[in-house]
Amino acid sequence: MKHQLLKFSLIFLAIFVSCKSEMTNPDSLSKKNLVFDKINYYKYPVSQNDKPFKFKISYNYENQKPYRWLELDSAGKVMTDYIYEYDENWVQTGAKYREDGTTDFSVEKVSFRNDSTMITKWLDSIGNVYYTMVDNLNKFNKTYRAEFIGDKSHGFDSTFYTREGFQKRIFFTSVSGKVYNDRSFEYDSTNSNNDWVIRRKIMDDTIREIQKREIHYENDYIADNGRFYEGFISTREWSENVFSFTRDESLLFFTRTSDWVNQTPYISKLKNGIYTEPEQITELGTIYNGAISPSRDKIIFCTRSDNELTIFLANKKNNHWTDVIDLTATSGLHGGYFHWLNDLELCFQSEENNGDLVIVELKENKLKLTDKLDVLNTETGTEFSPYISSDKKYIIFTRYLEGDKNNQGFFVSYNQGNSNSVEWSKPTRLEMLPYGWSARMINNNAKFMYTDGDNIYTLKSEKLNLKTK
């Protein structure tokens, strides 16, 4: 029994290390910067309607250093989550990881004996080393031999590569000389960037899996299904609701929930071109929705109780959101689903007529109503979650009128005046979009973003056919 447990743990570690090695060393033949890829795993043989039984999603920084990889089951639940750690010179110093059923991350430390030998140590909860792995690296910095050491050596992985640098064969050899988990890969398709797209996994001369890979380059961290940072910002375990960015898009604010009324606010920071692990804003407790200011020093948010929305303003001081002001008490206004036009002017949903869009000014911790936007609002429908372009050429918002599908979804209105004298046109529905809210443009207006209440999505803004010229 003890031998069997050891056997299965070693097989797991071998799979774990092979995944790690493949991400740590991107294909040196690549001409473009690979920043995001997703491997879809299918049982062989594959029929037309078969769905993957699991996924592996990997993210790189813009400098090609790996940031994170996740394995998810067929339902999108995270089974393994691995985050790399580096020093100021981008030399890997360790990682943190968690597996299915755990909420806290475990720790491993990484050091280099020399240019061709990497040492990884797994630590227990009090910092003691309980397992060590020694990676021997080839001239392309890829692992060709990895030894596993507990109280003594348990054996080692051997990895062979194709001329293109793809994994060709991997197997584990125990100290007694027995070979376990021997698998090889045959590559059926590559793209114009010399990255593999389809491969077959073979064990005992039998095809076991077909693995199909979607690949994204440069600054595109969006999966083909449109989910924004699938796996750790847009998740299947929580619903991601409203979101907003600072002016320079260096911070992403969003809420996450399993209870619509009580949502948890998060911030994700942009580092070397990628949004990183979201951090909960504990000082705000639970909220209904909110938005971060362009200059990143304020968050306006609301709470919901008995269908009444109370508005608050949180100011950032000494790196904490501790200065919270009740704007409903100072101004008498109720509402939510906010958009900052600038640091002093906002558009949001007031509670009049089941929800109307209004413009307000924020001065001396008070809100002053400046425009009711009558041309955009209906008497019985709900208008909410506005986005106004920085040049005020258009506004995109969500409308919901019960029982009328023509008045459910995203609407756009164009400014027939100018930025100093705005005259909004009669809104028209953006029929190419599904129902959602929290409209936003990012990346110099190249991408449009929204949420359907479960995930955050993005697509190329050109697909909206906006009349902005």
Side-chain angles (χ1 to χ4, degrees):
M1 182 65 178
K2 187 178 294 184
H3 174 74
Q4 285 292 100
L5 289 173
L6 176 61
K7 172 183 173 181
F8 288 122
S9 71
L10 289 174
I11 290 173
F12 169 78
L13 282 171
I15 296 173
F16 183 86
V17 172
S18 70
C19 293
K20 174 182 171 183
S21 298
E22 188 170 20
M23 266 312 299
T24 305
N25 303 285
D27 180 10
S28 60
L29 297 176
S30 294
K31 297 178 182 178
K32 295 181 181 178
N33 287 341
L34 193 159
V35 295
F36 165 66
D37 74 343
K38 179 180 179 182
I39 302 175
N40 302 281
Y41 295 83
Y42 297 86
K43 294 290 187 183
Y44 184 82
V46 182
S47 63
Q48 185 174 1
N49 296 322
D50 283 351
K51 296 181 179 180
F53 68 89
K54 71 174 182 177
F55 310 90
K56 181 186 174 186
I57 303 176
S58 305
Y59 295 90
N60 288 353
Y61 291 107
E62 281 185 334
N63 62 7
Q64 289 292 274
K65 292 287 187 178
Y67 164 60
R68 186 178 198 157
W69 61 264
L70 307 97
E71 283 192 338
L72 301 89
D73 65 16
S74 58
K77 182 180 179 182
V78 174
M79 297 186 295
T80 305
D81 187 359
Y82 187 97
I83 304 175
Y84 296 81
E85 294 178 345
Y86 301 92
D87 64 15
E88 64 276 7
N89 297 315
W90 288 98
V91 176
Q92 187 182 356
T93 59
K96 59 181 182 178
Y97 63 95
R98 63 183 176 92
E99 297 162 8
D100 185 19
T102 62
T103 55
D104 295 329
F105 281 88
S106 298
V107 174
E108 65 181 47
K109 294 296 182 183
V110 172
S111 60
F112 292 85
R113 183 179 297 165
N114 50 51
D115 290 342
S116 61
T117 310
M118 183 172 71
I119 312 296
T120 304
K121 297 180 179 180
W122 280 268
L123 308 181
D124 62 21
S125 58
I126 60 174
N128 292 325
V129 177
Y130 68 89
Y131 216 84
T132 300
M133 178 176 66
V134 179
D135 282 87
N136 297 117
L137 310 175
N138 63 20
K139 63 180 180 180
F140 300 112
N141 203 35
K142 294 186 176 184
T143 299
Y144 66 88
R145 188 181 190 273
E147 183 179 10
F148 302 92
I149 306 168
D151 54 346
K152 58 183 180 180
S153 177
H154 291 153
F156 57 91
D157 256 355
S158 298
T159 305
F160 300 87
Y161 300 90
T162 66
R163 286 184 58 188
E164 298 82 4
F166 307 150
Q167 291 177 339
K168 183 177 182 179
R169 183 188 176 195
I170 308 168
F171 58 89
F172 176 78
T173 306
S174 70
V175 291
S176 63
K178 291 186 177 180
V179 173
Y180 298 104
N181 199 28
D182 189 355
R183 68 266 193 207
S184 59
F185 300 94
E186 291 186 356
Y187 294 85
D188 297 335
S189 177
T190 59
N191 63 15
S192 59
N193 206 47
N194 292 319
D195 284 313
W196 73 267
V197 178
I198 299 175
R199 72 179 182 185
R200 292 174 286 170
K201 178 182 176 181
I202 299 171
M203 300 179 72
D204 298 326
D205 297 323
T206 302
I207 300 172
R208 303 294 184 183
E209 297 172 13
I210 298 293
Q211 300 175 5
K212 298 181 180 180
R213 185 184 185 204
E214 70 176 73
I215 307 173
H216 300 269
Y217 299 99
E218 308 307 336
N219 66 345
D220 192 356
Y221 293 93
I222 316 306
D224 288 348
N225 57 25
R227 289 191 178 94
F228 186 73
Y229 285 83
E230 184 177 12
F232 72 95
I233 289 182
S234 292
T235 66
R236 303 287 183 91
E237 298 175 83
W238 300 93
S239 294
E240 284 71 41
N241 196 355
V242 299
F243 62 92
S244 58
F245 295 87
T246 54
R247 184 183 293 109
D248 60 4
E249 298 178 8
S250 62
L251 292 180
L252 163 65
F253 170 90
F254 68 98
T255 61
R256 186 174 276 169
T257 185
S258 59
D259 173 4
W260 200 252
V261 174
N262 298 297
Q263 304 188 33
T264 305
Y266 286 84
I267 278 184
S268 177
K269 300 176 182 177
L270 189 68
K271 179 181 179 182
N272 203 257
I274 189 170
Y275 288 101
T276 52
E277 175 70 2
E279 300 174 4
Q280 182 180 341
I281 307 175
T282 57
E283 299 96 323
L284 303 188
T286 57
I287 68 176
Y288 186 53
N289 57 69
I292 193 167
S293 67
S295 58
R296 71 167 54 196
D297 61 344
K298 294 179 174 62
I299 293 175
I300 191 167
F301 66 96
C302 65
T303 60
R304 181 173 177 174
S305 179
D306 298 326
N307 291 323
E308 185 174 81
L309 301 181
T310 303
I311 304 174
F312 296 90
L313 181 70
N315 294 281
K316 192 172 187 179
K317 291 186 177 180
N318 299 322
N319 211 34
H320 291 284
W321 301 95
T322 53
D323 185 9
V324 179
I325 299 164
D326 187 337
L327 294 182
T328 293
T330 61
S331 311
L333 296 176
H334 297 264
Y337 292 98
F338 311 93
H339 170 61
W340 296 82
L341 282 74
N342 49 62
D343 287 310
L344 298 175
E345 196 174 16
L346 298 101
C347 185
F348 71 94
Q349 175 206 24
S350 73
E351 292 191 331
E352 294 185 17
N353 298 322
N354 296 312
D356 279 354
L357 299 179
V358 298
I359 301 287
V360 298
E361 287 184 350
L362 175 63
K363 288 185 177 180
E364 298 178 350
N365 296 323
K366 292 183 180 180
L367 296 175
K368 179 183 177 182
L369 182 64
T370 60
D371 194 339
K372 288 191 174 182
L373 299 178
D374 290 334
V375 71
L376 306 180
N377 296 313
T378 57
E379 290 187 8
T380 56
T382 299
E383 285 76 32
F384 67 106
S385 200
Y387 170 78
I388 299 178
S389 64
S390 58
D391 55 12
K392 296 185 179 179
K393 285 188 175 181
Y394 62 90
I395 179 173
I396 299 176
F397 64 93
T398 300
R399 174 181 290 167
Y400 184 82
L401 182 59
E402 185 70 32
D404 185 354
K405 290 187 176 181
N406 291 325
N407 277 294
Q408 296 174 4
F410 287 103
F411 283 73
V412 62
S413 172
Y414 297 98
N415 182 5
Q416 298 172 320
N418 55 55
S419 59
N420 295 318
S421 179
V422 177
E423 297 178 18
W424 295 117
S425 65
K426 183 179 178 180
T428 56
R429 188 160 67 93
L430 294 169
E431 297 183 1
M432 74 290 295
L433 294 174
Y435 184 79
W437 54 93
S438 208
R440 289 292 183 279
M441 290 288 187
I442 63 168
N443 296 156
N444 293 319
N445 298 320
K447 293 178 182 176
F448 173 75
M449 294 181 62
Y450 69 95
T451 179
D452 63 358
D454 284 324
N455 291 281
I456 300 172
Y457 291 90
T458 189
L459 67 155
K460 292 183 178 180
S461 57
E462 62 189 29
K463 294 184 178 181
L464 274 59
N465 297 320
L466 297 178
K467 303 171 184 178
T468 57
K469 297 182 178 180

